[in-house]
Amino acid sequence: MPLVRVPATTANLGPGFDTLGMALELFDEIQIELAPALEISVSGEGAATIPRGPENIAYRAAQAVFERAGRLPGNLKIAMYNHIPVARGLGSSAAALVGGLVGANALLGGVLKQEDLINLATALEGHPDNVAPAILGGLVVAARDGERVYCRRLEPPAGLTTVAAIPQFTLSTRVSRGALPARVTMSDAVFNLSRVGLLLAAVQDGDLELMGKMMDDRLHQPYRLSLVPGMEEVFAAARAAGALAVTLSGSGPTVIAFCQGRNPCVGPAMAAAFARHGVACIVKELAPCSRGAVVLE
Ligand code: HSE
């Protein structure tokens, strides 16, 4: 009975909207087995809110694997042991989805290749920037071409650490995407394109300083400011405390700072800035995670 461990992820990394993501050392575990009837249990994060019925993300993902493999849908017993805060921009839904896919694939003896799992995960999630690093680990750049996802995994630069300020309120990706405009200007598109290109070059060179300078964004974060009270001040506080860069993690509301080595000042500075706007948050120092989803049993 497969037990799958899946990392949290931070998507976008600033300018790489729907394109870049990185796995983090914070994990959910999902156990899947065939059973006489559907049975889903959830402990830890989201225990009170995650659905136990057929709409459960891990269950739907597992069924998609059965279908893709040409097998009849099976009844499943799924146990979720969660550490990734839910609906905060740290890839909790991607982790559930990937756990369901990888677990079901293991149950079927590995019929689907990793590439198939990434394509399927992206189709289910709608964008690749959380699911691809959740599967591959490391820092991933991904591009969709219809059903197919092209991606490359890069090793996060040595010495890179992150500090996440995780507000105690949830923000759904659907709502956060609803704030985005249908069109952007050519100058804003060029701003982001140039930064994504140089950011990836900096990652490959292990140049943390350049990486940090290339993490500004004009395509999504400015439009999400009203959804995260105090966001601009939290960004400024992280920078003033010595962070190399600071971004919204995925679609928020978590704000994540990127640092060289451990910086104990950044987390408290971000939490104090959030508090000035009436937002309680928890702070987690999270190292980049080199390993993607893994079957432990
Ligand atoms: N790229 C997605 C977004 C990530 O920003 O909406 C969601 O986690």
Side-chain angles (χ1 to χ4, degrees):
M1 116 185 47
L3 174 68
V4 186
R5 194 182 70 169
V6 191
T9 44
T10 182
N12 301 326
L13 302 180
F17 180 72
D18 279 2
T19 301
L20 301 181
M22 187 172 77
L24 299 169
E25 292 272 345
L26 176 69
F27 304 95
D28 282 351
E29 288 182 354
I30 295 177
Q31 188 149 40
I32 297 193
E33 59 188 301
L34 292 169
L38 171 64
E39 188 186 329
I40 297 175
S41 61
V42 185
S43 61
E45 296 286 344
T49 52
I50 289 174
R52 267 69 162 177
E55 70 277 34
N56 178 279
I57 293 175
Y59 175 78
R60 284 198 294 119
Q63 294 302 353
V65 171
F66 279 79
E67 200 176 302
R68 187 61 60 95
R71 303 281 285 266
L72 285 174
N75 272 323
L76 295 171
K77 181 175 172 186
I78 298 181
M80 305 175 77
Y81 308 97
N82 292 343
H83 294 102
I84 306 172
V86 173
R88 309 293 166 75
L90 289 167
S92 63
S93 66
L97 202 161
V98 167
L101 290 180
V102 172
N105 197 40
L107 267 183
L108 297 179
V111 279
L112 301 189
K113 296 192 299 259
Q114 192 175 61
E115 188 185 315
D116 302 324
L117 293 176
I118 292 172
N119 292 339
L120 192 50
T122 302
L124 292 168
E125 173 94 334
H127 44 89
D129 47 339
N130 291 107
V131 292
I135 291 172
L136 296 173
L139 191 158
V140 175
V141 51
R144 289 181 87 173
D145 182 14
E147 301 269 283
R148 173 130 193 232
V149 180
Y150 294 88
C151 52
R152 283 289 178 272
R153 178 197 176 286
L154 304 175
E155 199 55 40
L160 179 67
T161 63
T162 75
V163 185
I166 308 167
Q168 298 293 60
F169 69 90
T170 60
L171 174 59
S172 81
T173 298
R174 187 181 51 77
V175 168
S176 189
R177 289 175 89 83
L180 304 181
R183 292 172 195 282
V184 295
T185 63
M186 179 65 89
S187 61
D188 285 352
V190 170
F191 182 94
N192 274 47
L193 272 176
S194 54
R195 274 150 187 82
V196 168
L198 268 173
L199 195 162
L200 291 172
V203 169
Q204 276 196 312
D205 289 351
D207 185 340
L208 279 180
E209 202 151 318
L210 180 62
M211 182 184 173
K213 285 194 201 313
M214 292 300 125
M215 293 180 79
D216 289 336
D217 158 71
R218 287 192 187 163
L219 293 186
H220 67 105
Q221 291 177 174
Y223 303 101
R224 289 171 157 167
L225 281 172
S226 64
L227 302 173
V228 184
M231 186 171 137
E232 274 180 311
E233 208 185 308
V234 176
F235 274 40
R239 287 201 185 95
L244 295 167
V246 56
T247 72
L248 198 59
S249 184
S251 57
T254 292
V255 172
I256 188 161
F258 296 78
C259 302
Q260 177 152 26
R262 185 165 180 265
N263 182 331
C265 303
V266 169
M270 289 198 291
F274 261 139
R276 285 194 286 278
H277 289 266
V279 175
C281 74
I282 57 163
V283 168
K284 282 187 191 287
E285 295 183 13
L286 300 169
C289 178
S290 286
R291 207 152 174 209
V294 60
V295 181
L296 298 173
E297 283 170 18

